[in-house]
Amino acid sequence: MADTTLLSGIFEPGLLHELEAHALKKTFEEGTVLLHAGQSVTHIPLILSGVVKIFRTEPDGRELLLYYVNPLESCAMTFTCCMQEVPSEITAIVEERAEVLLIPIDLMDQWIMKFRSWKSFVMKTMRYRFNEMLRTIDQLAFQRLDERLIVYLGEKSRTSGSALLHVSHEQIAAELATSRVVISRLLKKLEQEGLLLLYRNEIKLLSTFFDDRDPV
DNA sequence: ACATTAAGTGATT
DNA sequence: AATCACTTAATGT
């Protein structure tokens, strides 16, 4: 039986009942792989707490970060897969211990017809990711790496709710598809500009980092 | 004390 | 901006 109190704000009562009856609530530890590339999707995940990282694996073994799924969100890619039961193009891994509601995909069809709030939830997560992808394309096409790094750091801090980031240069490099050396240099530069402080496995964003930067 | 891993840096392309 | 080669610093055993 799933706890749906968190969801009562976004879903209508009938849907909450169905969720309680059919969704499985599970807790996954950090590092758990929820979905491998190539696997087909059997359940829609709905995140209650924690963070799940979604990325592509390139043929040469590098990974490319697509997005994070945060609490009260679901994964847009799984929607696109499950409609036609196509194997997944992406890998999903638990970044931070997560409670997840697993919804069997065959309920998707009925729910979309039956529940307004479900339909708008699906549309909303799709629209949100789509817009995000557009911004990402913008970045890749027009911004240099140092700007991407700043956006990345701000994003990290916003989603973790902390100015102290637990992340190594190596990890950042992997997620931005570049090398560690480059990240180290850029971070060093930002440190010298007084925007942040560097420690081993930790980066502290100073208030100057957030100053005079547009909020969205 | 030693090994391992993270980070810093000059030189080269 | 990427890569190499090397150094220095922090952390684990």
Side-chain angles (χ1 to χ4, degrees), chain A residues 130-148:
Chain A
F130 194 83
N131 286 335
E132 189 180 69
M133 294 281 180
L134 287 180
R135 283 204 303 279
T136 305
I137 290 172
D138 264 13
Q139 285 192 15
L140 288 174
F142 303 118
Q143 290 185 2
R144 294 184 320 262
L145 191 55
D146 55 348
E147 294 172 63
R148 280 209 286 151

Side-chain angles (χ1 to χ4, degrees), chain A residues 51-202:
Chain A
V51 181
V52 176
K53 179 166 92 169
I54 309 293
F55 59 96
R56 273 199 76 112
T57 310
E58 299 296 313
D60 61 4
R62 291 192 308 177
E63 68 177 52
L64 180 63
L65 172 70
L66 292 179
Y67 52 85
Y68 289 102
V69 184
N70 295 300
L72 295 187
E73 292 176 358
S74 186
C75 172
M77 281 304 291
T78 57
F79 290 144
T80 67
C81 288
C82 73
M83 300 281 190
Q84 301 196 311
E85 303 196 27
V86 175
S88 158
E89 300 278 327
I90 51 96
T91 303
I93 186 167
V94 176
E95 169 101 348
E96 194 180 291
R97 195 159 115 86
E99 292 176 281
V100 180
L101 275 186
L102 295 174
I103 304 160
I105 56 167
D106 40 303
L107 293 175
M108 281 285 294
D109 274 349
Q110 312 167 218
W111 285 7
I112 278 227
M113 314 274 272
K114 215 160 142 191
F115 301 109
R116 248 205 139 60
S117 59
W118 181 252
K119 186 169 98 180
S120 74
F121 175 72
V122 171
M123 286 314 192
K124 216 173 79 188
T125 70
M126 301 269 279
R127 178 165 46 83
Y128 178 79
R129 289 306 171 198
F130 194 83
N131 286 335
E132 189 180 69
M133 294 281 180
L134 287 180
R135 283 204 303 279
T136 305
I137 290 172
D138 264 13
Q139 285 192 15
L140 288 174
F142 303 118
Q143 290 185 2
R144 294 184 320 262
L145 191 55
D146 55 348
E147 294 172 63
R148 280 209 286 151
L149 177 59
I150 288 172
V151 170
Y152 171 89
L153 292 173
E155 197 62 7
K156 264 261 174 196
S157 150
R158 193 176 57 74
T159 58
S160 71
S162 159
L164 187 63
L165 310 177
H166 304 274
V167 87
S168 73
H169 299 185
E170 192 76 62
Q171 287 170 254
I172 301 175
E175 297 196 338
L176 296 183
T178 177
S179 68
R180 191 228 97 212
V181 198
V182 172
I183 295 298
S184 290
R185 288 213 162 98
L186 290 173
L187 284 172
K188 197 73 202 167
K189 197 182 80 187
L190 294 175
E191 186 180 37
Q192 278 158 10
E193 289 169 11
L195 298 183
L196 46 76
L197 293 173
L198 298 175
Y199 310 96
R200 181 176 233 229
N201 279 318
E202 279 176 323

Side-chain angles (χ1 to χ4, degrees), chain A residues 10-30:
Chain A
I10 41 177
F11 293 144
E12 59 208 83
L15 178 50
L16 292 174
H17 288 141
E18 294 255 344
L19 271 169
E20 278 178 30
H22 297 112
L24 272 161
K25 181 159 136 184
K26 286 207 164 189
T27 303
F28 298 99
E29 294 304 318
E30 181 174 332

